[in-house]
Amino acid sequence: MEQKNIDQLIKEKMEKGGGAIPSKPQWELIASKINVQPPATKKKALWIPWAIAAAVIAIMFVGVNALWTTKSDSLLDQNNVVIKEVDQSQTDLDVLNETDTETNEDILPHQSQKDPYPNTLATTSEYNKSKQTNQGNKATPIIDNKAIVTEKTVTTNQKSVEEKESKTEATSEWVDIPSSPTKANPAEWHFANTDQDLNLVKKQFSLGFSGAVNYGNQNSGYVLALSARQDLSSKVFIDGSVSMIYNNSSNQVIGLPSSLQNVTMSAAPVKSAMAREAVTYMPSVNTLYIQFNPVVGYRVVDDISISAGPDIQKLMNQNNNNNSFNYYTFKTDGTIAQLPDVDLGLTAQTEVNLSPNLKAGLLYRQGFNHLIAPSNINVINRNYFQFQFKYSFGVNSKK
Amino acid sequence: MSNYSEQELIEGCKAGDAHCQEQLYKLKYELFYRVCVRYTKCYADAEQLTNDGFIKVFNNIHKYEGRGSFEGWIRRIMVNTCLDHLKSKKVRENRQTIAPDDYTEHVFFNIPANIIDDIAYEDLLKIIQEVPPTSQAVFNMFVIEGYSHREIAKEMNISEGTSQWHVNNARKFLQEKIKMMNLEVK
């Protein structure tokens, strides 16, 4: 007898079947597990990652643009300050002229010799502070309160000075200054001669640590992070953080031996079947990711900033018994998808200053692994919102 | 029995009509239960896999574009569901059969053809369920479903030689069991 015929006979026998089967259809068991929603809804979600990517690009564009604008503005500001400070210096000179003429004459030559930056100026705030102090306590000398004039100011306003000098006698309010600076102690004089002194650009490097809570499609999680921030201008900054993300996801994530990694995902078991199997031999796991998240940020106003950047995460869960495990999670349609070992995404964040050192933040993270994964691997995107508090401290902050 | 045509049921299921889904499920349940039962060791597993397979059918029916037989499309889903079950179970029980990759030997049935005719369906099914799991699946795919060794190798992530070995392994097993059964009957 030919083997093929025996095979054929067995096939016919099995397909023909026998009597009644020892099982009946149980529609009630599966009805609730069928996703009755039309598949069209799934396609709608596809624009979300692209929208987020576009938003990130837009934010980065705005950030870079703002950086350049701020630089230009800084130069303009400096010029404006010159103009303004000329006026201020006139007022300073008013004051100086209102003081002892001899003292005033002493100051200018010293300043001229000492000041290596003839283009620098005193700030308005310093002047105002000085003026307020002097108004409150006329015994306090102007120089002690760092109200400074510069050679340039004096030069460019020589005419004005002369005019003011002519008016000196008419002013009597600032005459009584008993402790004027002396020629012998010029070291006490403070000359505003750097950007930092002028407070034009607050470039600051700061370190911070933060705690956060995640809410997303992979259950809740907790985050601890260390971060560093460098201001590029008064508006723009870059920030980088390294975080540990612990996801309380044992209800959703199972580990499968890597020998099953070639399971055809289009035929992936449905949730019920996988859950049934998982109970018996697959470990349920809480996942642990380490995250690196560099961002570019922009201060919208003094206390509110926005930032965006790429997000790279690495799954840290260790293998059991030297067996290589891949981790899977259940999707809403009942199929399963693999948790990426290296997880790529984008973040967008807004922060609010609660105090000089404490910030509260809201972050959204969108994974885009499905865009880069091989077509035969069904990967999950870990999307979540994160509420965080960050404590930061300046390393070279402005004094 | 359903008053709908198969095409109407398909369209209804694509639209998410629960009534059409129920009708299709009840109409095809027995057919595909008989497929699943050949890949399992017990009726309970077959029942579970049939239901799991139908859930996948309904959740993915929008992917069926009308090309080829609808029953063939469902059958493939059922077989894949059974294979997934087998793969996971194989690991769980750590009962993987070590098979050579370059196997080329052919095993021939050495039994009269009429013996097959004399065996009841339930008895033959019972024998097939006793075949080692992987060999059982490969034998079913090759002999009953009509897969080629290349297709089996791809689906099972094994070599074609291994697939061939499993078919022959199943044949040897079945031959011995059928002979024993025949002797007992006599």
Side-chain angles (χ1 to χ4, degrees):
Chain A
M1 177 62 59
E2 284 185 22
Q3 174 184 324
K4 191 172 181 180
N5 286 347
I6 298 290
D7 284 352
Q8 189 64 29
L9 287 171
I10 291 175
K11 178 181 179 181
E12 288 171 2
K13 193 95 179 178
M14 296 310 296
E15 287 190 333
K16 188 178 176 182
I21 59 171
S23 173
K24 289 182 179 178
Q26 296 172 291
W27 172 247
E28 301 75 24
L29 283 180
I30 71 164
S32 61
K33 297 173 184 172
I34 297 172
N35 178 17
V36 294
Q37 285 207 335
T41 54
K42 210 174 178 181
K43 288 184 178 175
K44 284 182 181 176
L46 290 177
W47 64 268
I48 294 176
W50 292 108
I52 292 173
V56 168
I57 291 169
I59 289 171
M60 292 180 77
F61 176 78
V62 169
V64 171
N65 189 41
L67 172 65
W68 288 108
T69 306
T70 307
K71 280 186 173 177
S72 303
D73 288 347
S74 295
L75 293 172
L76 281 174
D77 286 346
Q78 288 184 17
N79 293 330
N80 290 336
V81 168
V82 169
I83 295 165
K84 288 176 183 175
E85 294 299 332
V86 165
D87 295 332
Q88 293 294 339
S89 65
Q90 290 176 5
T91 314
D92 289 340
L93 288 169
D94 288 346
V95 175
L96 289 170
N97 291 330
E98 288 162 6
T99 63
D100 188 345
T101 306
E102 184 181 337
T103 304
N104 192 11
E105 288 172 356
D106 291 340
I107 292 171
L108 296 178
H110 275 288
Q111 182 179 335
S112 178
Q113 290 167 9
K114 183 178 179 66
D115 187 359
Y117 306 102
N119 290 327
T120 57
L121 300 165
T123 63
T124 306
S125 59
E126 284 171 335
Y127 168 74
N128 289 336
K129 190 191 290 182
S130 169
K131 186 168 184 179
Q132 285 169 6
T133 306
N134 284 298
Q135 284 174 337
N137 178 12
K138 292 176 184 174
T140 305
I142 296 169
I143 298 300
D144 286 349
N145 285 282
K146 303 174 185 177
I148 309 301
V149 294
T150 69
E151 183 179 45
K152 180 179 179 181
T153 307
V154 173
T155 305
T156 55
N157 294 280
Q158 192 61 43
K159 186 178 178 183
S160 175
V161 169
E162 289 168 356
E163 290 174 358
K164 295 294 178 183
E165 281 175 344
S166 64
K167 298 177 183 175
T168 304
E169 292 177 4
T171 306
S172 59
E173 185 181 359
W174 293 74
V175 174
D176 183 17
I177 302 178
S179 56
S180 302
T182 64
K183 286 187 279 187
N185 194 20
E188 293 178 2
W189 306 350
H190 176 76
F191 293 90
N193 54 16
T194 66
D195 282 352
Q196 191 177 21
D197 286 334
L198 294 172
N199 199 21
L200 294 177
V201 180
K202 295 178 181 175
K203 288 188 177 177
Q204 180 174 342
F205 178 74
S206 61
L207 296 174
F209 52 89
S210 58
V213 181
N214 288 347
Y215 296 96
N217 66 346
Q218 290 304 303
N219 214 326
S220 60
Y222 309 99
V223 182
L224 286 175
L226 293 174
S227 62
R229 174 175 296 191
Q230 174 66 57
D231 289 344
L232 300 180
S233 72
S234 59
K235 287 288 187 183
V236 181
F237 61 87
I238 54 174
D239 196 321
S241 64
V242 177
S243 316
M244 297 300 293
I245 304 176
Y246 179 82
N247 285 313
N248 180 22
S249 52
S250 62
N251 289 335
Q252 293 173 291
V253 175
I254 55 172
L256 286 175
S258 60
S259 57
L260 296 182
Q261 64 186 353
N262 292 323
V263 169
T264 305
M265 281 305 167
S266 60
V270 292
K271 181 174 180 177
S272 58
M274 292 304 293
R276 184 162 50 84
E277 299 298 337
V279 167
T280 52
Y281 70 98
M282 297 173 189
S284 296
V285 290
N286 292 320
T287 55
L288 181 65
Y289 276 89
I290 185 168
Q291 175 195 39
F292 177 56
N293 183 207
V295 298
V296 174
Y298 180 76
R299 285 191 187 85
V300 182
V301 294
D302 280 352
D303 290 331
I304 299 177
S305 63
I306 56 174
S307 58
D311 177 38
I312 305 159
Q313 299 186 22
K314 174 81 172 67
L315 186 63
M316 299 295 287
N317 288 64
Q318 298 298 311
N319 297 330
N320 298 329
N321 303 322
N322 295 324
N323 291 322
S324 180
F325 276 75
N326 292 318
Y327 296 96
Y328 293 83
T329 186
F330 298 119
K331 295 176 73 177
T332 52
D333 64 0
T335 60
I336 62 170
Q338 189 172 344
L339 257 68
D341 183 47
V342 176
D343 190 355
L344 301 177
L346 296 171
T347 63
Q349 181 180 11
T350 181
E351 282 183 343
V352 177
N353 292 342
L354 301 179
S355 75
N357 294 106
L358 187 63
K359 294 181 175 68
L362 173 63
L363 174 147
Y364 177 71
R365 195 260 186 188
Q366 170 71 46
F368 57 80
N369 295 287
H370 69 292
L371 298 177
I372 56 177
S375 57
N376 62 332
I377 297 180
N378 188 11
V379 296
I380 193 78
N381 285 319
R382 294 169 56 248
N383 310 324
Y384 54 79
F385 281 97
Q386 184 180 98
F387 300 94
Q388 61 179 222
F389 287 98
K390 180 190 287 185
Y391 183 86
S392 59
F393 49 91
V395 174
N396 62 345
S397 60
K398 181 180 178 295
K399 57 188 178 180
Chain B
M1 194 52 68
S2 171
N3 295 322
Y4 297 99
S5 69
E6 184 176 273
Q7 191 57 36
E8 286 172 331
L9 287 175
I10 293 169
E11 294 303 323
C13 291
K14 282 185 176 179
D17 184 333
H19 181 66
C20 288
Q21 290 171 338
E22 183 177 359
Q23 291 298 313
L24 182 64
Y25 171 72
K26 289 180 176 174
L27 187 65
K28 303 290 184 184
Y29 181 86
E30 181 175 339
L31 174 64
F32 294 111
Y33 174 85
R34 289 185 190 280
V35 172
C36 291
V37 79
R38 293 198 295 267
Y39 288 83
T40 58
K41 301 294 179 191
C42 66
Y43 295 123
D45 279 354
E47 189 174 293
Q48 180 67 50
L49 289 173
T50 308
N51 285 331
D52 290 345
F54 269 108
I55 291 171
K56 287 202 288 188
V57 166
F58 291 128
N59 285 340
N60 294 282
I61 198 165
H62 59 278
K63 294 178 183 172
Y64 176 66
E65 297 172 342
R67 278 178 262 168
S69 153
F70 183 56
E71 271 188 11
W73 183 76
I74 299 179
R75 179 184 290 261
R76 202 164 185 95
I77 289 177
M78 292 293 173
V79 171
N80 283 340
T81 303
C82 293
L83 293 182
D84 289 333
H85 171 74
L86 168 71
K87 287 170 185 173
S88 56
K89 191 162 187 169
K90 180 174 69 176
V91 174
R92 181 180 59 183
E93 297 181 351
N94 198 20
R95 292 196 319 201
Q96 295 187 59
T97 307
I98 299 171
D101 285 340
D102 53 352
Y103 185 82
T104 54
E105 183 187 348
H106 289 269
V107 173
F108 294 94
F109 276 110
N110 189 20
I111 53 175
N114 60 347
I115 290 182
I116 304 295
D117 289 333
D118 294 341
I119 297 175
Y121 165 81
E122 288 78 9
D123 292 334
L124 186 56
L125 175 62
K126 194 175 176 183
I127 295 172
I128 289 175
Q129 286 183 324
E130 290 175 5
V131 176
T134 307
S135 299
Q136 177 191 7
V138 174
F139 179 82
N140 276 319
M141 293 171 78
F142 182 76
V143 172
I144 301 176
E145 316 298 348
Y147 284 63
S148 67
H149 283 303
R150 177 170 291 185
E151 289 172 318
I152 295 170
K154 190 178 175 185
E155 290 288 339
M156 301 282 288
N157 196 25
I158 58 177
S159 70
E160 290 183 44
T162 303
S163 172
Q164 200 167 326
W165 182 89
H166 279 298
V167 171
N168 289 332
N169 188 46
R171 281 181 181 142
K172 282 182 191 172
F173 186 92
L174 289 171
Q175 184 170 289
E176 287 177 17
K177 288 288 183 181
I178 289 170
K179 278 182 179 175
M180 286 174 60
M181 185 176 285
N182 192 41
L183 287 173
E184 287 172 6
V185 171
K186 287 182 178 179

